[in-house]
Amino acid sequence: MRHRPLRHAGRVNLPSELSGFIGRGAELAALGRLLEDSRLVTVTGAGGVGKSRLVLAAARAAAGGAREAAEGAPEAEEAPGARGARAPGRERHRDGVRLAELAGVRDPGLLELTLSEALGLTDHTTRPPRTVLAEHLADRYLLLVLDGFEHLVEETAALVRELLLRCPGLRVLAAGRRPLELEGERVFPLAPPVPAEALELLAARASAADPAFAVTGANRADLVELCARLDGIPLALELAAGRLRTLSPAQVLARLEDPFGLLTGGARGGLPRHRALRTAIGWSHELCTPAERLLWARLSVFAGQFDLDAAEYVCAGPDMPVEGVLDLVGELLAQSLLVREETAAGVRFRMLETVRLYGAGWLESLGDAVRLRRRHRDWYMGLATWCELDWFSPRQYEVAALVEVELPNLRLALDCCLDEPDELHLGQYLAGTLWFFWAGCGRLTEGRHWLDRTLDAPGGTATEYESSRLKALWVLGYVAALQGDATASMCALHECRDGAARSGNRVAAAYAVHRLGCLALVSDDMARARELLGEALEQYRAAGELNSNVLMCQVELGMALAFLGDLPGALALCGEVREICEERGELWTKAYALYVLAYAALEAGGTREARRLLTECVEVNHAFNDLVGLVLALELLALVTVAEGDPAEAAVLQGAAEPLWGGVGLQLFGSGYFNAPRLLCRERAGELLGAERYAAYEAEGRELSRESLVVRALRGAASVPRQAGAPGGMPGPRLSRSTAPADQP
């Protein structure tokens, strides 16, 4: 089975255009020239004037150049430190073009994480995200596009300044209502399009809404006046185009008289926008039925995308029957007030930020905002609960994709819990319930952010809802252990175990013991890990607990046994886990079981079986963006490749895996056991190739993107003909005991 990765980590992450880019040729060319000469360009203008569309068009043009550079002949290597300010044309963005959309980021603490996500970075360490960003970008030629930063202008400006200073090959293209006001910034004020382009845009969008629409001699004058009345602002024109499906241009003009414009002012919308845009949005609002207006206001509580089920739960009530929400959504879509989008988790809807803010103003004026925010929170609490249960099922990948899409709304729900001291326990429950996403899908840093906030907030130690706090504590202990923060992990897990003992919570006690065993495992204390993990398994069975965590405990016990040389015990434990996972359709824990089985197979000289197991392991870990599992599997696969008699390919894989450790921590926190395959591969391949050739192949691997590396690793199963015992093959390496640290049992 093939599994798609949750996030593409390639050179470009720009969205595809849903409708054609009309006009703006002169502005696009001028913006391109500015980007050639400046490392920071900010496009400014009123809301709805077309900043985002122009910036994305410029980014796509830059991405085309980056693609040519990536596919063209390599150019001479520059001296260290010379990369950056004035790179040759094709080289300027050779490492890609990445978009970070900031409009939906409410918490300044998530700014760096949002940029990391846009760059495809996964970091399992406790390093500040800003440090991770700077190190990643330090020697790259890359264009970073920032859209919608104005509500975080101070924080964004400080981050951009630091990145530009530390990363000479970085260029930034930003879009917002105001400049960042940084030294060296080139500001590109964007005015509405010229009348001819405004008319072209209006006509194109009206034709898309109604294929029978056409500009004729009879309606041209009204259309030209309509463009002028709306000052040519693209968002206003697109809203007007949606109305031309049912109204004539003359009727639309009549609807733009002052009475409608007056209804959009000041307190109701609260939008610091151009008057023409306020008029256009207010006019669209007045043309909606009362039910459509009410749904518009209520949908404003969502952050980013949402699906129909969420809209029905959050927005329905005595004044809006649930069975009528679908038709109302259809009407808002027809009026260009909602956008329909296809995602990895299915069909989603989204409001343009300007339209959402207008609806939010109306919701506040109705006095219903607090209730709707709680309804929104309750829906996403339920969604997280369902996803946690469904993680242990054949729908595991779909669950991961769903949480990835819904993350902006889950963040909003967590913020809602933190805003109300009496509901901190709900935030602790929600942050803990998402353990599978934090640990299984490469989100440890963000998980740590929310767990720390909910546990450290004033009132967060209340014992009235202790089960929620205990859950957050063991998840924090788990996350901190995987980050290499042993002190924080130990403190959280001991607090959880003590609290569970006081309250008689057997399940929480089992989780605390399990994660203490996990901490011992990654700390190379195998005897202690074997003891604690075995105890945790007994407690899980006594409590009747069975899920991915319980099976992971069994896998981790199998790892400890394998590292101690008890291969039959490891095979028995992980073979059982594999069977259960296949019965349940569980993939994530199964991948770790396959790693242990491959480790044992390689110890016994079975390179063919080890390769087969590791190929599946790499595929699943990549799909879930689980960097820990991925890098471990790749390094063991490199050792398999040496045993098969291809040291050159092994060196390439080893070199490609090396940069991934930067996001995991220094060689899995210095573990001698987990790092044995890497060290042995380097020794074996280095002996066969010689130091100079090994270094060259390793350097080749370091240039591979993660996507290319995974494709190469998966393809290797079919492309490597030699197996152990065949000509050129080597006996299976000995990994356990003899390669462990000397002071370990």
Side-chain angles (χ1 to χ4, degrees):
M1 181 188 297
R2 292 283 174 182
H3 307 284
R4 291 177 299 153
L6 298 183
R7 291 190 298 278
H8 176 65
R11 296 177 182 273
V12 177
N13 70 336
L14 303 175
S16 58
E17 284 191 287
L18 299 179
S19 55
F21 186 67
I22 306 296
R24 298 292 200 184
E27 291 92 337
L28 190 57
L31 186 56
R33 289 191 294 271
L34 275 182
L35 279 173
E36 290 179 4
D37 297 327
S38 307
R39 295 183 58 213
L40 172 59
V41 178
T42 304
V43 178
T44 62
V49 79
K51 301 183 296 295
S52 296
R53 293 295 296 267
L54 180 66
V55 160
L56 286 176
R60 290 188 184 96
R67 214 170 283 116
E68 290 177 12
E71 295 169 357
E75 303 198 9
E77 193 66 31
E78 296 178 57
R83 304 183 75 179
R86 291 303 302 263
R90 289 199 317 157
E91 291 282 284
R92 190 171 294 113
H93 312 307
R94 74 179 184 193
D95 291 314
V97 179
R98 308 292 294 182
L99 167 67
E101 296 183 289
L102 304 180
V105 179
R106 307 287 192 270
D107 183 350
L110 296 177
L111 179 60
E112 287 95 341
L113 287 174
T114 302
L115 265 63
S116 295
E117 179 182 354
L119 292 168
L121 296 180
T122 303
D123 187 67
H124 287 316
T125 72
T126 57
R127 295 180 300 169
R130 186 168 300 205
T131 300
V132 176
L133 281 170
E135 290 179 1
H136 176 77
L137 294 170
D139 61 350
R140 283 176 166 81
Y141 287 129
L142 185 136
L143 177 64
L144 178 60
V145 183
L146 305 178
D147 190 19
F149 64 82
E150 50 268 1
H151 60 301
L152 298 172
V153 63
E154 297 296 333
E155 296 85 355
T156 304
L159 177 58
V160 168
R161 181 180 184 276
E162 182 173 343
L163 292 178
L164 288 172
L165 287 173
R166 296 177 63 181
C167 311
L170 175 66
R171 289 169 185 260
V172 176
L173 175 60
R177 292 198 299 273
R178 54 172 294 177
L180 289 166
E181 298 182 353
L182 293 176
E183 183 179 355
E185 179 182 26
R186 297 292 298 274
V187 179
F188 187 90
L190 185 63
V194 297
E197 288 185 352
L199 179 59
E200 182 184 2
L201 175 62
L202 178 63
R205 300 296 186 255
S207 297
D210 178 10
F213 176 85
V215 180
T216 67
N219 66 16
R220 175 179 288 273
D222 287 336
L223 291 171
V224 169
E225 184 179 351
L226 179 58
C227 291
R229 291 278 295 279
L230 295 176
D231 281 352
I233 294 176
L235 177 57
L237 294 174
E238 298 206 15
L239 292 171
R243 287 298 177 184
L244 288 172
R245 188 177 64 168
T246 53
L247 300 174
S248 71
Q251 289 173 316
V252 171
L253 277 172
R255 300 268 181 168
L256 286 178
E257 296 299 328
D258 283 344
F260 296 105
L262 291 174
L263 291 174
T264 68
R268 235 181 224 186
L271 295 170
R273 298 288 193 268
H274 195 289
R275 184 179 184 278
L277 181 59
R278 293 200 309 272
T279 301
I281 296 177
W283 154 70
S284 290
H285 190 266
E286 291 302 320
L287 288 178
C288 289
T289 65
E292 291 164 4
R293 293 178 202 167
L294 186 59
L295 181 61
W296 178 352
R298 290 179 176 177
L299 290 175
S300 71
V301 300
F302 289 97
Q305 299 169 330
F306 56 89
D307 67 4
L308 181 61
D309 289 340
E312 288 176 335
Y313 177 86
V314 174
C315 301
D319 50 357
M320 183 176 290
V322 66
E323 59 271 14
V325 172
L326 174 58
D327 289 338
L328 292 172
V329 166
E331 289 301 317
L332 295 180
L333 278 170
Q335 298 171 55
S336 300
L337 295 167
L338 281 181
V339 178
R340 182 184 184 275
E341 296 178 338
E342 294 283 349
T343 74
V347 174
R348 289 291 187 276
F349 305 101
R350 178 177 58 84
M351 275 187 177
L352 295 175
E353 185 65 7
T354 309
V355 175
R356 191 197 68 78
L357 287 172
Y358 189 94
W362 271 87
L363 189 63
E364 289 286 351
S365 71
L366 293 171
D368 208 18
V370 172
R371 184 183 72 85
L372 263 293
R373 280 196 287 269
R374 287 176 176 165
R375 293 276 293 177
H376 174 277
R377 177 207 61 204
D378 292 346
W379 171 262
Y380 286 99
M381 292 274 292
L383 180 75
T385 301
W386 174 84
C387 285
E388 182 188 31
L389 294 172
D390 224 29
W391 181 253
F392 189 46
S393 80
R395 293 174 295 280
Q396 196 172 55
Y397 176 73
E398 286 76 7
V399 168
L402 175 60
V403 177
E404 178 81 15
V405 169
E406 295 288 13
L407 187 56
N409 283 302
L410 289 164
R411 288 169 173 168
L412 203 60
L414 284 160
D415 270 328
C416 181
C417 297
L418 287 162
D419 286 342
E420 302 191 33
D422 292 341
E423 297 184 346
L424 278 176
H425 64 284
L426 297 178
Q428 292 170 354
Y429 170 83
L430 181 52
T433 297
L434 290 170
W435 67 265
F436 63 91
F437 190 63
W438 311 139
C441 301
R443 294 284 191 165
L444 291 179
T445 306
E446 177 155 359
R448 182 74 180 270
H449 170 86
W450 291 113
L451 290 161
D452 282 339
R453 284 191 65 190
T454 58
L455 287 166
D456 294 343
T461 58
T463 59
E464 184 180 358
Y465 301 97
E466 191 169 26
S467 62
S468 294
R469 180 171 177 80
L470 293 177
K471 185 170 190 175
L473 282 169
W474 75 252
V475 175
L476 174 59
Y478 182 23
V479 167
L482 292 177
Q483 288 185 307
D485 190 348
T487 301
S489 177
M490 190 77 73
C491 289
L493 293 172
H494 278 296
E495 184 180 349
C496 179
R497 188 168 64 175
D498 293 346
R502 284 195 307 271
S503 62
N505 190 325
R506 293 194 301 165
V507 173
Y511 279 106
V513 174
H514 172 190
R515 293 311 168 190
L516 284 168
C518 176
L519 181 59
L521 182 71
V522 299
S523 303
D524 275 357
D525 189 350
M526 293 302 149
R528 180 66 171 157
R530 177 175 55 189
E531 175 189 347
L532 289 169
L533 293 168
E535 180 185 342
L537 276 179
E538 292 177 3
Q539 293 185 17
Y540 280 138
R541 288 165 184 156
E545 190 86 347
L546 179 62
N547 54 34
S548 295
N549 268 305
V550 175
L551 293 180
M552 187 63 82
C553 182
Q554 190 164 327
V555 170
E556 289 162 350
L557 179 56
M559 284 182 181
L561 295 180
F563 291 151
L564 291 171
D566 182 3
L567 296 182
L571 285 169
L573 286 170
C574 292
E576 182 183 14
V577 170
R578 181 183 185 180
E579 290 178 5
I580 296 172
C581 287
E582 288 175 349
E583 289 174 4
R584 300 290 187 124
E586 211 276 2
L587 296 170
W588 176 64
T589 306
K590 178 186 173 183
Y592 282 89
L594 295 179
Y595 172 82
V596 179
L597 294 173
Y599 183 101
L602 185 58
E603 280 275 63
T607 54
R608 183 189 298 273
E609 175 68 1
R611 175 174 286 280
R612 187 180 66 80
L613 293 167
L614 288 170
T615 297
E616 184 176 353
C617 189
V618 166
E619 189 176 18
V620 172
N621 284 321
H622 178 56
F624 286 117
N625 202 38
D626 185 345
L627 204 56
V628 173
L630 179 61
V631 70
L632 290 175
L634 285 168
E635 291 199 332
L636 192 57
L637 185 60
L639 184 57
V640 169
T641 306
V642 170
E644 290 170 332
D646 193 349
E649 180 65 12
V652 171
L653 291 175
Q654 189 71 56
E658 190 76 20
L660 299 183
W661 281 114
V664 175
L666 180 59
Q667 314 305 341
L668 203 62
F669 333 121
S671 167
Y673 289 97
F674 284 104
N675 286 306
R678 176 178 58 88
L679 299 175
L680 191 53
C681 176
R682 179 176 295 169
E683 176 186 333
R684 291 281 184 89
E687 289 174 355
L688 292 169
L689 293 170
E692 186 174 343
R693 290 181 65 208
Y694 179 86
Y697 283 118
E698 195 176 46
E700 178 186 335
R702 281 196 293 271
E703 292 300 313
L704 292 175
S705 68
R706 194 187 308 175
E707 294 285 338
S708 300
L709 166 60
V710 170
V711 168
R712 186 161 182 159
L714 297 180
R715 191 173 55 218
S719 65
V720 179
R722 295 182 293 272
Q723 305 296 335
M730 295 170 19
R734 298 297 298 168
L735 285 161
S736 60
R737 284 193 177 271
S738 61
T739 53
D743 59 342
Q744 291 298 322

